[in-house]
Amino acid sequence: MEDRVRVVIAEDSVLLREGLTRLLTDRGHEVVAGVGDAQALVKTIAELAAADELPDVVVADVRMPPTHTDEGVRAAVQLRSRHPGLGVLVLSQYVEERYATELLAGSSRGVGYLLKDRVAEVREFVDAVVRVAEGGTALDPEVVAQLLGRSRKQDVLAALTPREREVLGLMAEGRTNSAIARQLVVSDGAVEKHVSNIFLKLGLSPSDGDHRRVLAVLTYLNS
């Protein structure tokens, strides 16, 4: 039995929403609310936060009413900004790189992106919910493969020095350059140099913009 976590589910399909609720409650977890659209999700989390009853994790569909485009992931990004300690696990029918990258931007702690097919693997799905609730990361292998499509070497981290691996590990924990510098007791400039070397060795060009940090972290998590 995993540690008990409190969950809010946002899924417009009543059948799937009830199914997810049953999967989680059968494993001893508490589903404190189930909603059918992104607006209701944001409102529910605000009410729970106001009552000092913020859940451990939100499980939300990427595409939700009214347009069934990106309402779910937009709500997830918004909630992560307002409540940094809230875990967010989004479910998608297909790998949607833009949404996955946006969700992971800034920090990979307490975040997950799974394909809905993964829900059928009950143990794996429930483990992912618990891992995200506890501040970990749960990324579908297909999502990782697509985001890292340009990096298919068997050991893409082999070229990194021990210190660069250490810096990358701290990046994967969601730490900023300044926080990494404090942890390693080095200057901010030293960390910036290590990060630049990491990008260079992983083949992440400046054209990738801010996504380079996300891609570097995903490389580390998949190694």
Side-chain angles (χ1 to χ4, degrees):
M1 179 69 70
E2 300 90 348
D3 293 335
R4 182 172 179 268
V5 298
R6 301 175 68 249
V7 188
V8 168
I9 298 174
E11 167 59 56
D12 61 298
S13 167
V14 176
L15 183 61
L16 181 53
R17 187 167 70 241
E18 293 300 320
L20 295 176
T21 299
R22 180 65 180 272
L23 288 179
L24 292 168
T25 56
D26 281 353
R27 300 300 291 268
H29 303 298
E30 180 185 1
V31 177
V32 297
V35 299
D37 60 71
Q39 184 176 359
L41 171 60
V42 173
K43 179 180 179 182
T44 296
I45 295 300
E47 292 173 347
L48 290 170
D52 198 24
E53 296 181 354
L54 195 68
D56 300 302
V57 60
V58 166
V59 178
D61 191 354
V62 167
R63 298 175 180 269
M64 300 184 73
T67 67
H68 292 279
T69 53
D70 61 356
E71 284 86 352
V73 74
R74 293 292 180 191
V77 171
Q78 180 179 336
L79 291 174
R80 278 174 58 78
S81 175
R82 293 181 180 178
H83 309 284
L86 175 66
V88 174
L89 173 62
V90 299
L91 304 177
S92 178
Q93 192 69 40
Y94 312 102
V95 177
E96 300 180 86
E97 181 176 339
R98 178 168 61 90
Y99 298 152
T101 303
E102 182 172 2
L103 184 67
L104 290 162
S107 172
S108 61
R109 290 182 60 81
V111 63
Y113 189 112
L114 296 180
L115 296 184
K116 288 188 174 180
D117 288 347
R118 203 68 57 186
V119 176
E121 301 172 27
V122 177
R123 176 74 189 192
E124 184 173 343
F125 168 71
V126 176
D127 283 351
V129 172
V130 174
R131 189 159 65 252
V132 171
E134 295 178 345
T137 304
L139 299 177
D140 194 288
E142 291 189 35
V143 174
V144 174
Q146 182 159 321
L147 290 178
L148 297 176
R150 65 169 67 86
S151 303
R152 298 184 181 276
K153 298 178 182 178
Q154 289 187 348
D155 187 1
V156 293
L157 302 184
L160 301 185
T161 66
R163 176 61 93 180
E164 289 164 354
R165 284 174 179 261
E166 190 174 10
V167 170
L168 184 52
L170 293 171
M171 288 167 60
E173 293 178 9
R175 305 198 191 197
T176 63
N177 285 2
S178 295
I180 293 173
R182 290 194 297 271
Q183 176 71 20
L184 300 180
V185 194
V186 297
S187 68
D188 287 0
V191 173
E192 290 174 3
K193 183 177 180 179
H194 287 313
V195 172
S196 294
N197 287 338
I198 290 169
F199 291 157
L200 178 64
K201 292 179 179 180
L202 296 184
L204 302 173
S205 67
S207 62
D208 291 310
D210 293 337
H211 293 175
R212 288 194 298 174
R213 198 174 186 92
V214 175
L215 292 170
V217 167
L218 287 174
T219 303
Y220 174 81
L221 294 172
N222 197 43
S223 65

